[in-house]
Amino acid sequence: MAWYLTLTVAAAAALYTLSATAHIFFLFRREFDTAARHSTRLAWAVHTLGLVLLVAHIHQVPVHTLFDFSYFFTWIMVTIYVTIEFLQKNQAAGSFLMPVIAVVQIVGTALPKPSPETLMLNQLSASLIAWHIAVTGLGYVHLFASAIAGGLYLLQERNLRKKNWGPLYYRLPSLEALDIWGGRLVYIGFTLLTIGMTAGLVFAQITWTRLWTADPKVAFTVFCWVVYGDYLLMRQVWGWGGRRSAWWSMAGALVLLINYFVMNMVSRLHRFVG
């Protein structure tokens, strides 16, 4: 990978580490809000530059290797966070999100980097598979964001139940706002997951001649879809919300993590290039 792209990736990782540190301090000291906000936006700007350089380097959507998908995946998550933070004027979620982003970025600096030659040799049905991976990944981002909202809901509920009026209580959004955002994010994520799965099914039917329906990744992805479909059914029909929805969204995120890491390793069909 080109030296300037390597440097940009390392710079983004360093800035996200700074952002994560500032956000952790912000939980207890309000005066760190400016440092947390500006370091996050600077890290996102460098991350965006790195993503542009990556696309220019590989000449396609960055979804085919573990490195480029993770880099693209985290950029979407931070973009959503920065947008919500700008609209809601609340940085509490960043205290939980930025440390995760920082870890992923640091690990990403050690992952094998893509090259145009490697990707060209492993091309399948480029446009369809890129659409499948990108849209499904975008769905994952929204579903993980819902889990963060659920975790914040449970934390704020605990503060209220124990009458803990410390700094953290005043940093977190209201229970109503967290519940509404958690539900909206699942609606969006589930829709994107459905579209991505449909593209994947079409791709598999056209490209794979072997029995792809027996692949464990396919079966577990359908299970993920059912988990979030049940969430929406419970919320829409039975009026579930609050604590039960929060726990459900967090459990769903755990299922997605198993699907992303474990199923990709045991599957013979669903593997990243390189």
Side-chain angles (χ1 to χ4, degrees):
M1 190 167 66
W3 67 267
Y4 51 83
L5 182 52
T6 302
L7 182 61
T8 306
V9 170
L15 288 169
Y16 278 123
T17 303
L18 177 62
S19 170
T21 304
H23 273 92
I24 292 172
F25 279 108
F26 167 70
L27 281 176
F28 307 99
R29 300 288 294 272
R30 181 179 291 274
E31 57 266 29
F32 282 92
D33 62 338
T34 301
R37 181 183 304 108
H38 291 314
S39 60
T40 300
R41 293 178 181 178
L42 180 58
W44 176 84
V46 174
H47 194 169
T48 302
L49 174 61
L51 190 62
V52 172
L53 294 175
L54 177 61
V55 172
H57 177 67
I58 62 177
H59 308 295
Q60 57 188 307
V61 180
V63 294
H64 294 88
T65 71
L66 184 57
F67 166 77
D68 56 22
F69 181 77
S70 298
Y71 202 68
F72 186 37
F73 182 89
T74 52
W75 179 84
I76 296 173
M77 291 192 72
V78 178
T79 301
I80 293 173
Y81 165 74
V82 170
T83 302
I84 294 176
E85 184 270 322
F86 177 77
L87 295 175
Q88 298 292 317
K89 307 300 182 185
N90 192 297
Q91 298 171 252
S95 300
F96 300 86
L97 177 62
M98 287 306 118
V100 175
I101 298 295
V103 170
V104 174
Q105 289 285 313
I106 292 171
V107 172
T109 61
L111 290 174
K113 304 304 186 293
S115 66
E117 295 76 15
T118 301
L119 295 174
M120 287 176 64
L121 290 173
N122 289 275
Q123 280 291 333
L124 297 172
S125 177
S127 59
L128 190 57
I129 194 63
W131 176 262
H132 161 61
I133 298 174
V135 175
T136 302
L138 188 57
Y140 272 39
V141 167
H142 285 82
L143 296 174
F144 278 125
S146 175
I148 293 175
L152 294 177
Y153 181 97
L154 295 173
L155 188 57
Q156 186 70 314
E157 184 192 46
R158 182 178 182 276
N159 287 332
L160 289 168
R161 190 172 62 252
K162 292 184 174 295
K163 295 181 172 56
N164 182 8
W165 316 126
L168 185 58
Y169 168 78
Y170 295 101
R171 302 289 191 277
L172 296 176
S174 67
L175 292 179
E176 180 182 10
L178 289 169
D179 185 51
I180 290 173
W181 274 104
R184 287 175 178 172
L185 288 165
V186 172
Y187 276 111
I188 298 171
F190 181 77
T191 301
L192 292 168
L193 182 62
T194 303
I195 296 172
M197 286 176 59
T198 302
L201 291 174
V202 174
F203 164 80
Q205 192 66 32
I206 295 173
T207 307
W208 288 334
T209 57
R210 61 186 115 174
L211 190 61
W212 58 266
T213 53
D215 183 66
K217 173 77 172 184
V218 173
F220 206 84
T221 300
V222 172
F223 174 66
C224 294
W225 186 84
V226 171
V227 167
Y228 283 101
D230 286 345
Y231 170 97
L232 294 178
L233 183 65
M234 296 295 185
R235 193 175 182 97
Q236 189 68 32
V237 178
W238 284 282
W240 275 30
R243 182 190 301 179
R244 286 182 291 191
S245 290
W247 278 114
W248 197 306
S249 64
M250 293 179 68
L254 179 60
V255 172
L256 290 180
L257 286 173
I258 294 173
N259 197 34
Y260 181 72
F261 289 106
V262 179
M263 292 299 120
N264 277 338
M265 288 190 291
V266 301
S267 172
R268 293 185 177 181
L269 299 177
H270 288 82
R271 288 181 178 273
F272 285 106
V273 175

